[in-house]
Amino acid sequence: MNVTIIGTGYVGLVTGACLADAGNHVFCLDLDEGKIARLNRGEIPIFEPGLEAIVKRNEAAGRLRFSTDVAASVAHGELQLIAVGTPPGEDGSADLQHVVAAARSIGRYMDGYKVVATKSTVPVGTADKVKQAIIEEQKKRHAGSDFTVVSNPEFLKEGAAVEDFMRPDRIIIGAEDARAIAMLRSLYAPFQRNRERIIVMSVRSAELTKYAANAMLATRISFMNEIANLAEAIGADIEEVRRGIGSDPRIGYQFLYPGVGFGGSCFPKDVKALQRTAQDAGRPLRVVNAVEEVNEAQKHVLGFKIRDRFANELRGKCIALWGLAFKANTDDMREAPSLALIDDLVAAGAKVRAYDPAAAAEAKKLFAQSAAVTIVPNAMEALASADVLAIVTEWQEFRSPDFAAIKKALKTPAIFDGRNLYDPATLRAQGLEYYPIGRKS
Ligand SMILES: NC(=O)c1ccc[n+]([C@@H]2O[C@H](COP(=O)([O-])OP(=O)(O)OC[C@H]3O[C@@H](n4cnc5c(N)ncnc54)[C@H](O)[C@@H]3O)[C@@H](O)[C@H]2O)c1
């Protein structure tokens, strides 16, 4: 099948590469000339395990190409997948300008039947806006090709995006039109060989499903963070509690990890957008409102613990920071909890020496103007002349460090662990002070 992907970011690039790998001819469009130039030079603009090999293989096979040519992109695909960003607007609602712009360009150039599928996370009712934009553009040039707009929300996780795309738990198709449903069924057939994973539903239900899924996951995180803070206050251990409740199959172990709050390009903005939708519909979601409130507070828990350790006097102190990305296995720092911690520390007069295995380039751009923040190339260098160590991202390489070397390097041998990576007894036996989340400090 000839497929066009509009927007070659985390979702668009992974989708394009994986669809090409299944034998489709994929045209990836982006308006960012720098990004397309890098891709055409063989560079992968994002860090995503396993992606580079698939991109290279399919480019070499002539099934995957990257371009800024809008007219050619519309001409190429009988299926047009919209995967542009939907950042939060001023009022928290999803900003649909990129989605509408993508729809307009389809309407401007289309000639013949197209299925337009929205992969971007968009509020209920967006499919109608996409349809309207295409019709308006067709009218301007007195054209009238037939088309169908469907919702096909994406559920991949950064850090495991290729794996998630290749072996999805479910594929949601929001559509009423039989021809469009058949096209998407055939597109996704190679990714669900051992059992059917497609769930067909109405467009509006599909749009809401994506937000409901992310809000549910965010709720688990905020719930665990609140229980963790309570556990700490009353002498229980959240890791024991986590195992105790996770063993109930109705609850399960996934997404029960307490920490420094959720970040990233999806949960924070999707929670806000869902709140906005609910508010506008006159049905405010009180649970979701609380999820966001708890998360905002949780991002400051580690900063609070560090200030508390030094009796609120951080001037002249240097904090080593391990982890900048919002989670492991990505270079994405959008809404990362590390940003809130760095803000807190710098506002209190401290300096920060930070290391991340993948997000260094991104962090250097973000902190180019900040004299208080230095990005260093490895974990041990972050400790040089630092007072204490804070850990914000659960990268594998942080899980078994040389504790003796850490103790030697730090002026105050203390680790503030926002991900509960270590066994408290082991650390204390090594003579390190240990401050995890929801456990005894
Ligand atoms: N990142 C994730 O893990 C993830 C997972 C599921 C769903 N989503 C959703 O998918 C969408 C895309 O997310 P992302 O993280 O890939 O975003 P991104 O910012 O990484 O990529 C979006 C790309 O779209 C391009 N773009 C914007 N307007 C365009 C236009 N009119 N024509 C062509 N290209 C255009 C941008 O230049 C950018 O490269 C969002 O709605 C997001 O909520 C993201």
Side-chain angles (χ1 to χ4, degrees):
M1 194 183 297
N2 283 350
V3 182
T4 293
I5 313 277
I6 307 169
T8 309
Y10 284 87
V11 169
L13 183 55
V14 171
T15 302
C18 294
L19 289 177
D21 214 39
N24 299 290
H25 286 266
V26 180
F27 187 122
C28 287
L29 173 77
D30 206 288
L31 301 185
D32 182 338
E33 288 175 3
K35 189 177 273 188
I36 294 298
R38 286 183 69 186
L39 283 159
N40 282 328
R41 281 199 302 270
E43 291 172 31
I44 307 296
I46 54 171
F47 176 86
E48 193 56 57
L51 182 59
E52 185 166 0
I54 302 178
V55 169
K56 297 232 154 114
R57 180 160 77 224
N58 287 284
E59 259 197 301
R63 284 192 299 265
L64 181 63
R65 64 182 157 129
F66 304 102
S67 170
T68 56
D69 185 339
V70 179
S73 81
V74 178
H76 176 83
E78 51 201 307
L79 177 61
Q80 303 271 319
L81 286 176
I82 300 180
V84 300
T86 45
E90 297 268 298
D91 59 357
S93 64
D95 179 347
L96 293 176
Q97 60 165 313
H98 303 301
V99 172
V100 171
R104 286 198 179 283
S105 53
I106 296 170
R108 203 167 301 138
Y109 294 106
M110 67 188 278
D111 181 13
Y113 180 71
K114 303 277 177 197
V115 170
V116 179
T118 308
K119 268 213 163 299
S120 302
T121 303
V122 292
V124 172
T126 301
D128 297 336
K129 292 186 179 151
V130 168
K131 192 170 171 185
Q132 196 51 39
I134 295 174
I135 290 172
E136 280 170 20
E137 289 301 322
Q138 289 209 88
K139 273 195 184 146
K140 282 187 198 163
R141 56 186 183 99
H142 308 292
S145 303
D146 199 13
F147 67 97
T148 307
V149 177
V150 308
S151 167
N152 176 215
E154 182 51 60
F155 293 92
L156 60 76
K157 301 182 287 294
E158 284 177 25
V162 169
E163 175 69 19
D164 284 349
F165 195 93
M166 294 292 198
R167 286 182 198 70
D169 296 321
R170 76 309 214 179
I171 296 158
I172 303 280
I173 299 175
E176 274 95 40
D177 179 85
R179 189 168 162 192
I181 294 170
M183 190 188 277
L184 287 167
R185 277 195 190 282
S186 122
L187 181 79
Y188 287 116
F191 304 100
Q192 39 166 352
R193 288 172 56 190
N194 62 358
R195 67 176 165 85
E196 171 78 27
R197 281 139 211 250
I198 288 181
I199 306 173
V200 179
M201 58 179 73
S202 74
V203 175
R204 285 179 172 249
S205 298
E207 289 171 336
L208 183 56
T209 296
K210 174 66 193 181
Y211 283 105
N214 275 359
M216 170 69 94
L217 294 171
T219 301
R220 283 173 75 100
I221 297 174
S222 276
F223 177 82
M224 284 308 282
N225 283 336
E226 280 221 296
I227 297 286
N229 296 339
L230 175 65
E232 204 171 305
I234 60 180
D237 183 320
I238 192 64
E239 290 302 322
E240 291 172 355
V241 175
R242 183 179 65 75
R243 288 196 293 277
I245 62 175
S247 58
D248 181 335
R250 293 169 303 176
I251 296 174
Y253 287 105
Q254 292 197 11
F255 261 81
L256 281 191
Y257 294 97
V260 280
F262 56 78
S265 66
C266 291
F267 285 7
K269 83 168 169 57
D270 292 350
V271 162
K272 283 197 188 76
L274 182 59
Q275 283 174 297
R276 191 73 230 172
T277 297
Q279 194 113 18
D280 292 347
R283 295 280 191 284
L285 292 171
R286 287 159 294 180
V287 170
V288 178
N289 294 347
V291 165
E292 200 203 6
E293 196 186 320
V294 169
N295 196 56
E296 283 311 306
Q298 195 69 14
K299 288 186 193 169
H300 301 285
V301 162
L302 219 53
F304 178 80
K305 284 175 191 270
I306 296 171
R307 279 204 307 275
D308 195 47
R309 170 62 183 75
F310 290 107
N312 273 327
E313 189 46 77
L314 288 190
R315 270 172 301 176
K317 296 275 186 270
C318 175
I319 314 299
L321 180 59
W322 284 2
L324 291 158
F326 84 92
K327 66 174 181 179
N329 295 322
T330 181
D331 57 350
D332 198 341
M333 286 184 64
R334 288 178 281 186
E335 304 262 342
S338 64
L339 298 173
L341 174 61
I342 291 173
D343 270 358
D344 288 349
L345 296 173
V346 172
K351 288 198 170 5
V352 175
R353 285 174 71 79
Y355 164 68
D356 188 280
E362 185 60 25
K364 278 184 185 158
K365 277 189 248 159
L366 290 176
F367 294 108
Q369 307 300 327
S370 173
V373 182
T374 309
I375 311 298
V376 299
N378 64 62
M380 289 315 283
E381 253 185 67
L383 306 178
S385 73
D387 287 272
V388 296
L389 167 64
I391 303 175
V392 185
T393 315
E394 70 284 22
W395 282 98
Q396 193 66 11
E397 72 167 82
F398 301 154
R399 286 182 189 269
S400 292
D402 180 343
F403 290 117
I406 294 176
K407 187 179 172 201
K408 201 164 156 219
L410 294 175
K411 290 182 197 155
T412 302
I415 298 180
F416 295 82
D417 180 358
R419 297 291 180 175
N420 288 357
L421 299 183
Y422 309 128
D423 170 38
T426 308
L427 263 73
R428 284 175 199 127
Q430 302 246 10
L432 281 153
E433 291 175 35
Y434 184 50
Y435 301 87
I437 304 284
R439 322 184 75 179
K440 204 167 130 236
S441 289

